[in-house]
Amino acid sequence: TRRLVAIKKLHDSANSEAVFLMRQEFALLDQVKHRSIVRVFEYLEDENAVVMEYIHGVSLREILDSLEAAREQVFTESAVEMGCEIADALYQAYTTPGDNGEPLQLVHRDIKPANVMVTPGGEVKILDFGLARVDNKEFAADDPERIKGTPIYMAPEQARGEVLDHRTDLFSLGLILYELLMNQAAYRVPMDAPDPMKAIFDAIESGDLVAQCHELEGKLPGLGPVLTRLLQARPADRFQNGQDLLVDLRRQLVRDRGSYLQEFCDFFFGTIKDV
């Protein structure tokens, strides 16, 4: 089959852990199939490389930065549709059975704008499962002492090095949706604090987003409470799975799936950024 692909290759100096993570990423993505998760085709043993689907588009990080420069913002309904796609994909990754028949219970652990791509055709793709944690005896156990991920998109239990599950990724999705809807990150560096970095890490570990959720509910009375539930510090108080979140997000939309996102992509790729 002739197709355009992307090849993710380790540097020659990569250590054994990097090789292990690359192999595991391929093994996991080879089992999880979802329209919003990048597909893999082949693992090249001699090259320590993965041949995967080529995504013609830009990351959400690029979208947010480009819109800020142009003094524009993501359309509310298109942000909701992105949330629907990501929630569904994360649920699929968590519940997909492995080769041994048991659910993979895959937790991405690094859901952030840089790891989500959007195409001109209105597709959403989650990238980079290299830090994923999987709770299935077919795969090696992860080191619980190591905290992996990007701090300002971490759930509090992740920042504290505690047990992670599907709800951890959903909290990170909530932080992305907050940023898409409010045009700023939920966690902000308090420059007037004696130690700004300590202050922001304390906030991340506590998951204190009460003020941010209040702002969101004031701006979006219908959608705000959905995100408030998603951004609860205690996992038990959040949506328990991506399917439940998807249902509540879809209630905010009236048109067919994909129409709002395509409308935004036509605007963004036609006016703001040409790829």
Side-chain angles (χ1 to χ4, degrees), residues 96-245:
T96 291
D99 289 338
N100 60 3
E102 297 177 4
L104 289 173
Q105 296 188 33
L106 180 61
V107 183
H108 187 288
R109 292 201 295 185
D110 201 18
I111 294 294
K112 60 183 179 182
N115 280 339
V116 178
M117 288 191 73
V118 178
T119 74
E123 294 176 296
V124 176
K125 298 283 186 177
I126 301 175
L127 308 177
D128 202 355
F129 279 78
L131 294 185
R133 176 191 181 278
V134 60
D135 191 5
N136 181 308
K137 62 176 176 276
E138 182 182 343
F139 292 89
D142 189 42
D143 179 1
E145 298 301 316
R146 299 190 60 187
I147 298 174
K148 298 178 181 179
T150 302
I152 67 165
Y153 297 102
M154 279 185 181
E157 67 272 16
Q158 186 175 4
R160 295 193 296 260
E162 296 172 358
V163 175
L164 313 181
D165 63 21
H166 182 43
R167 298 168 296 183
T168 305
D169 279 346
L170 295 181
F171 187 96
S172 298
L173 171 56
L175 293 173
I176 291 178
L177 288 174
Y178 180 93
E179 190 167 350
L180 290 173
L181 294 164
M182 300 298 285
N183 228 19
Q184 59 182 328
Y187 291 117
R188 302 151 206 169
V189 178
M191 299 312 294
D192 57 341
D195 186 342
M197 292 311 297
K198 181 181 185 302
I200 196 167
F201 274 100
D202 287 346
I204 292 168
E205 287 188 13
S206 69
D208 182 9
L209 293 168
V210 174
Q212 290 89 325
C213 290
H214 183 70
E215 291 173 14
L216 187 62
E217 290 185 24
K219 180 180 179 181
L220 300 167
L223 182 58
V226 178
L227 262 68
T228 294
R229 182 179 172 191
L230 191 56
L231 291 171
Q232 292 300 300
R234 293 177 63 247
D237 296 333
R238 298 175 204 154
F239 286 93
Q240 296 304 288
N241 62 68
Q243 201 65 37
D244 291 345
L245 171 60

Side-chain angles (χ1 to χ4, degrees), residues 48-102:
N48 283 326
V50 174
V51 182
M52 58 177 58
E53 177 184 10
Y54 173 77
I55 310 300
H56 181 68
V58 298
S59 71
L60 275 183
R61 180 76 271 148
E62 293 175 82
I63 288 176
L64 285 163
D65 292 345
S66 297
L67 288 173
E68 182 181 12
R71 297 187 177 181
E72 296 283 359
Q73 190 167 350
V74 177
F75 305 163
T76 298
E77 291 83 0
S78 63
V80 173
E81 283 201 327
M82 290 181 203
C84 289
E85 288 295 295
I86 297 169
D88 195 46
L90 292 173
Y91 180 72
Q92 182 81 2
Y94 196 73
T95 58
T96 291
D99 289 338
N100 60 3
E102 297 177 4

